[in-house]
Structures are given as structure tokens and as C-alpha cells.
Amino acid sequence: MILIGERINGMFKDIREGILNKDPEPIKHWAKRQYEAGAAYLDVNTGPTVEAKDQPKVMEWLVNICNDTVPIPCCVDSTNPEAIEAGCAANRHGKVMINSTHADQWKMDIFLPMAAKYNAAIIGLAMNESGVPKSAADRAALAMEIVVNADAHGIPMEDLYIDPLMLPANVAQEHGVEVLEAIRQIKALAPGVRTTLGLSNTSQRCTNRHLLNRTFLIMCMAVGLDSAIADVDDPQLVDAVAAANILLNKDIYCDSFLKTFRQK
Amino acid sequence: MAVTIAKERWTSKVNELVLGAEPNVVKVGGDATLPFLFFEGEMPNRPVVALEVLDMEPEDWPDILKAPFEGVLGDPAAWAKKNVEYGADLVCLRLVSAHPDNKNASPEECAKTAKAVADAVNVPLIIIGCGVEEKDAEIMPAVGEALAGKVALLGCATPNNYKTITAACMVNGHSIVASSPLDINLAKQLNILITEMGLAANRIAIDPLVGALGYGIEYAYSIMERARLGALTGDKMLAMPVICFVGQEAWKAKEAKASNDETPEWGDQTRRAILWEVMTAVTFAQASGAIMVMRHPESCKQFKAHIDKMMEPVKY
């Protein structure tokens, strides 16, 4: 399970203030904290308060701080292609990840060549301009659009992460089972392609958020989920993932399995 | 139609373990592939052979195994030299005299023997205790100190005595053999415990306590293969080279010990026993063994000839 830490996002007040005041401390803090908690990637998002023209510069600044602080790559998260490109160019550790393209042709035509150019991994959201599909089959169909286009650009299948998109349990409860089925179908239709999930969406504006997130993550792992963008600052979530990795025979058991999972 | 060779892509590799002091170092591990699949990844170092020296005359060795060492069996330093003449890459000294049932030799006596062997040869050394966990914990600090700077491999550390042996390695710059009885979970846990004390992961060799051909070899094979797959997919606590104590197992087998008179239908004992040792070793080389601790010089020669062929580059 590849955990992508979600916390360096201008939607959060401390990160937003760090960006506005040019203060790297909150970014450093969360880079280190998420790395130590077991994150393999740091999601980096400037947030909506930064103007589009400033986003590339801010993204570069954020990625540089993360890279200077911890030895893991960034997952550059933006709807602005120029910000994404600036983040890809700045990342110095491992394989950078692009977050994300949709299944719309015009978006794939921008982001897939960019992924190829920077030898980046890329998240493909199983949605298009019509929105998030209701059924598993429609999610899988959009996923296959992205798979075919990624392949045409020579992107290795293990660098493509399809996100079948989860919606909050209190507004779209019926989507949970569809996401589970979509993961199964995507793994069956396109072996080698990876899957990921914006996990915290599961519990937006719900109570017991950690419990909902954690439970759904383990359910998804059981049907083949490879990665998640998640709140790794929740130790129980990371513990549950470490345990699931053992029970799914992904990691070899040892008594210190909670610790070894975090050391990766 | 052209055949496409299916190739696995691995994300990680085995640690490289460096033994001995410059210029006489031996490197093992570093593999980025399953053994000998050069088309999938690099195998920078070939499997090596350590020939055994005992610090007292062996009691249970058959005559055909004693014969090549006639005249040196009571002299560990001379025996070690002989092993190097026979082509051993390393010498493995076994301090059996420390066993309470043998001479119950003191840590000082053991250290003196180890030093004498180290002074006699220029190949790297493996020093193994008597197999009694408490006693090995007593002798290894003295042995480690006597060999400071020699960058030896000391063992065997178990969950019960790893602390003192790890400390002896850390203080004197040696590496450690971590033993676990055919148990991959325990092997991993022991590596974690040792690294948590501060010894680097690239100074550990895993000893899975192998069995000989016909005596559970398949269990050891499976565990070594599983550990290697773990290492290649990023499990850092299983990414250690594996040491196989082949000789002690092969020469325990009745196929190696039974004389020509006892089992005439099995053919010549010398040929049969050496084959038993060689077949055990080549099997473990295929399973990812990096250091083969063997006994008969002819076994060493035949194993190395086999590895020469296996290491030839492939054309695809």
C-alpha cells in the first residue's frame, strides 16, 4: 500500500498561511510528520487562495521545501497544468506523481505527455466533464479510456494510478459498493495498472471520520487497492494498513510489523 | 516469429556485504534479480565458498573427509592455510572446543586461536562459536576484539544471544550471522532487532539453518526464495545475503557417511559424499545462497566450476 500524505494543501489554514507569509515551517513540519508516519509520497496542493498565475511558483517552492526536508517524492496536485509542470520539474526525489488527469480527451492530451516527459507516475480520475459516474461499469469504462491513452504515450502501466472516486457516505452512500466493484473490474481488465483513492472524501462532513476512512480503506485493499491519498497523521489508519498488508500477504510478517511498515 | 523473453522488473536489491580488510576483500550480495537471471537484473558478485576449520580434531568426520587435511587437523592455522591452497574464498573457523561437552575452552583461548588463524591466511574469516548460545555470547566479544580490523563475520546470533554478539561486531568492525530455524518471520524480526541496536543492515548475513539434500532441502529453498522475493520488492529487513552451512549438513547425511563396505550398491563413498555436498550447495546457489560453508576441497572445486558456468553472460 502506497500512502500519499494529503496534508500539504492550501485548503488547510496553517499551510495557507505558510504560503501567504512565505513561511516554510508549517510545510516542513507536515513533510516530516507525514514521512515519519509512513507516507511514500507527499501530496502538494497550493489551494484555491493562490492566483492561477502564481501557482507554478508556489508549487515549485512547496516541492523544494518538501524535497529539502524528506527523501520522498511529491505528488503534485493541481488543476493548473503550469503548476503541475513546475512541480514535476522541481521534484528531485524518486518518481514524481501527477495528480491528476480526468478521462476527458483534452485533459489527457495535456497531462499524459507531461507524465511521459517527466517520467512521472500519474493519477487518472475515472470521471469526465459529465461528473462522477454512478455505476462501477461506467467508472471502469472511463478508467479504460485513460489506460489506452496512457499506453499510447508509452507510460508504463505501473505508473498509472486509477482513482475510481469515492463520494461522502452522508450524501452518496450508494457509491461505496460501486467503488469496490470498480476496483475489482479495473484490476481484472487492466492487470498491472494501479489504483488509488482520495480516501478522506469518504467521510466529508460525517462524524467518526477516522473510522469511516479506515474501514473503507481496508475494504478497498481487500479488492486490490494499491494506494491512497490519506490522512497519514491518523496512527490507527496506518496501523490498519500495516495489518492488512500482512493479512493480504503483501508484506512478510514479523513481530515488529507496525514499525517496519512505517520504515519503508 | 521472434520470442519475447518475459522479464520481471524488480524495485529493490540485496545488500552488498563486504568481508575482509583491503586489499583482500570478498563481496557478496548486491543482487537485483533472482539468482543467475542476468537478463532481469544485475548479479555483481558470485556465490563464494568458505572451507571449514575446526579448532580441535574432528571426532565425527569420516576418514575420506579427514584425508585431504592429514597432518593439519590439530593445527587450525595450518589447516586454514591448507584451505586457502585448496581454493577457498574464505575460511570458516568453528570454535567447537568451547563447547562445555568438549574442552569448554575459555574466551581467551578461543580468541588466541582466532588470532592465529587470522595471522596465517589473508582471506576473510567467518568465526562461528560452539552452538551453545550462552557460551557463544561469552566467547564472541573476546574473539571480536582479537580480530579488530579484520572485518570478519561472527556468529551465530540467535534471539537469545544477539545482543552481545551484535555489540562485539559493532565495537570491532565485524559483521554478523543472524540464525533462525527455517522461520522467515523470525529471520526478519532478528534482523530488525540487530539493526535497532545500531548495526547497519549491510553488515548482516542471514543463516536460515539449511538442511542437506534429502533432509529438508526444499524447506530451506522455499524460505530463501521467499526472502529474496521480499528483498527484490523492497523488504529491507530481508535484503541480506544468505549464508548456508552446507558442509555440516551434507556430511551428517548417511549417503555421505556410509562406507563402501556398508552400502556397496551406492557406489564409491568419496565420489558419493562429495556429490552430496556439491548438490546441496548448487541447489542453495539457485535459491539465492551467497556464502557456502563447505568441508571437502573437491566439493569446493566442483562448486566453483559450476558457478563459473552459471556466471557466463546470457545472450538475451
Side-chain angles (χ1 to χ4, degrees):
Chain A
M1 169 61 41
I2 297 163
L3 289 176
I4 304 166
E6 69 180 9
R7 193 54 176 71
I8 301 176
N9 188 319
M11 301 268 274
F12 291 98
K13 187 166 171 269
D14 54 353
I15 301 294
R16 182 169 63 240
E17 285 176 357
I19 292 170
L20 294 175
N21 302 329
K22 295 248 170 284
D23 172 14
E25 289 312 317
I27 293 109
K28 281 188 192 168
H29 169 80
W30 282 107
K32 188 160 177 287
R33 192 165 169 130
Q34 294 185 103
Y35 168 69
E36 285 169 358
Y41 273 93
L42 298 176
D43 192 81
V44 176
N45 186 319
T46 62
T49 47
V50 180
E51 282 183 49
K53 68 172 174 53
D54 297 329
Q55 283 172 359
K57 265 220 155 80
V58 173
M59 181 65 86
E60 184 187 342
W61 182 72
L62 290 170
V63 169
N64 275 326
I65 294 168
C66 290
N67 276 193
D68 289 343
T69 311
V70 291
I72 53 174
C74 290
C75 173
V76 287
D77 184 359
S78 179
T79 50
N80 178 348
E82 285 163 14
I84 294 268
E85 179 142 27
C88 287
N91 181 75
R92 285 167 276 131
H93 299 315
K95 184 184 277 288
V96 68
M97 191 183 288
I98 293 174
N99 186 6
S100 53
T101 181
H102 296 190
D104 300 303
Q105 194 63 47
W106 70 270
K107 281 193 179 153
M108 291 193 285
D109 289 345
I110 293 170
F111 290 113
L112 292 173
M114 203 183 282
K117 178 179 171 188
Y118 289 96
N119 189 25
I122 182 164
I123 296 173
L125 305 182
M127 65 178 289
N128 56 18
E129 278 168 330
S130 314
V132 176
K134 283 208 173 68
S135 71
D138 288 347
R139 283 178 162 88
L142 291 177
M144 289 311 113
E145 293 282 341
I146 304 173
V147 168
V148 170
N149 276 273
D151 191 46
H153 283 94
I155 294 168
M157 286 299 106
E158 67 264 28
D159 287 348
L160 178 61
Y161 290 73
I162 300 291
D163 182 345
L165 292 164
M166 184 56 179
L167 298 179
N170 61 348
V171 295
Q173 205 172 338
E174 65 283 7
H175 278 262
V177 286
E178 300 298 329
V179 166
L180 292 170
E181 179 56 25
I183 293 170
R184 270 193 213 102
Q185 289 188 13
I186 292 162
K187 297 301 278 188
L189 290 167
V193 166
R194 289 180 166 165
T195 48
T196 190
L197 197 67
L199 186 67
S200 297
N201 237 6
T202 307
S203 62
Q204 288 285 0
R205 298 179 193 281
C206 296
T207 60
N208 294 305
R209 290 200 65 181
H210 284 163
L211 178 64
L212 288 168
N213 291 343
R214 178 164 84 236
T215 304
F216 194 58
L217 179 56
I218 303 310
M219 291 164 72
C220 290
M221 285 179 73
V223 293
L225 188 73
D226 301 292
S227 157
I229 306 172
D231 174 12
V232 297
D233 197 41
D234 171 10
Q236 284 183 304
L237 178 128
V238 180
D239 284 355
V241 169
N245 257 7
I246 296 290
L247 297 170
L248 290 167
N249 198 24
K250 303 244 183 214
D251 286 344
I252 294 170
Y253 175 84
C254 69
D255 289 347
S256 303
F257 71 91
L258 293 180
K259 196 183 228 172
T260 51
F261 177 79
R262 288 168 166 86
Q263 282 169 345
K264 279 179 197 169
Chain B
M1 207 175 90
V3 175
T4 310
I5 305 292
K7 294 179 186 177
E8 288 284 352
R9 263 187 290 198
W10 304 109
T11 53
S12 205
K13 61 180 183 178
V14 178
N15 301 329
E16 188 170 71
L17 172 66
V18 182
L19 296 171
E22 290 288 353
N24 300 308
V25 300
V26 166
K27 294 179 185 176
V28 293
D31 311 52
T33 169
L34 289 170
F36 308 112
L37 303 188
F38 308 118
F39 53 93
E40 290 187 347
E42 200 191 4
M43 184 174 169
N45 301 304
R46 49 184 283 153
V48 296
V49 178
L51 281 176
E52 275 188 30
V53 170
L54 271 53
D55 69 343
M56 55 185 271
E57 195 145 344
E59 284 162 8
D60 57 348
W61 285 24
D63 291 340
I64 56 158
L65 180 54
K66 286 184 186 168
F69 306 107
E70 207 188 322
V72 298
L73 285 170
D75 180 349
W79 185 349
K81 270 190 189 165
K82 198 94 181 158
N83 282 346
V84 176
E85 284 168 26
Y86 283 137
D89 302 301
L90 307 99
V91 164
C92 176
L93 172 65
R94 242 175 220 287
L95 298 165
V96 286
S97 72
H99 198 292
D101 293 347
N102 293 332
K103 294 179 184 168
N104 201 19
S106 69
E108 293 69 32
E109 287 169 303
C110 291
K112 203 175 150 200
T113 308
K115 183 78 170 64
V117 169
D119 289 342
V121 295
N122 55 15
V123 298
L125 298 181
I126 303 169
I127 314 288
I128 302 300
C130 63
V132 176
E133 289 168 324
E134 310 81 60
K135 187 65 193 273
D136 288 351
E138 281 175 38
I139 61 178
M140 280 305 152
V143 169
E145 195 182 338
L147 298 187
K150 298 281 184 188
V151 196
L153 187 57
L154 307 186
C156 293
T158 69
N160 296 322
N161 68 8
Y162 75 91
K163 284 183 184 164
T164 39
I165 300 182
T166 302
C169 289
M170 287 173 67
V171 176
N172 302 296
H174 303 302
S175 293
I176 198 165
V177 179
S179 294
S180 45
L182 288 175
D183 183 334
I184 195 167
N185 309 122
L186 197 55
K188 185 171 172 178
Q189 186 67 20
L190 185 54
N191 291 335
I192 292 166
L193 294 172
I194 290 170
T195 50
E196 278 180 352
M197 281 185 68
L199 191 70
N202 64 0
R203 286 170 63 186
I204 301 175
I206 296 175
D207 163 29
L209 287 174
V210 299
L213 179 64
Y215 296 84
I217 199 170
E218 55 275 43
Y219 293 102
Y221 192 105
S222 299
I223 281 176
M224 286 160 71
E225 192 174 50
R226 179 104 166 83
R228 170 60 62 89
L229 290 173
L232 295 177
T233 51
D235 193 330
K236 292 186 172 56
M237 285 301 121
L238 285 170
M240 291 73 179
V242 173
I243 182 169
C244 303
F245 290 94
V246 170
Q248 67 173 14
E249 298 302 320
W251 289 93
K252 256 196 316 216
K254 66 175 183 295
E255 289 81 354
K257 284 176 109 166
S259 68
N260 292 344
D261 296 340
E262 287 170 80
T263 54
E265 70 279 15
W266 283 0
D268 176 58
Q269 187 197 357
T270 308
R271 183 154 181 266
R272 162 163 41 93
I274 288 165
L275 267 177
W276 216 260
E277 187 171 31
V278 172
M279 285 310 297
T280 302
V282 298
T283 303
F284 289 138
Q286 287 292 348
S288 80
I291 304 172
M292 303 296 161
V293 181
M294 302 173 79
R295 287 187 172 168
H296 200 288
E298 181 61 22
S299 305
C300 168
K301 195 174 138 199
Q302 289 189 19
F303 175 78
K304 290 178 89 165
H306 174 85
I307 298 301
D308 285 343
K309 295 297 281 184
M310 291 304 297
M311 291 301 286
E312 284 176 9
V314 288
K315 293 184 183 66
Y316 44 84

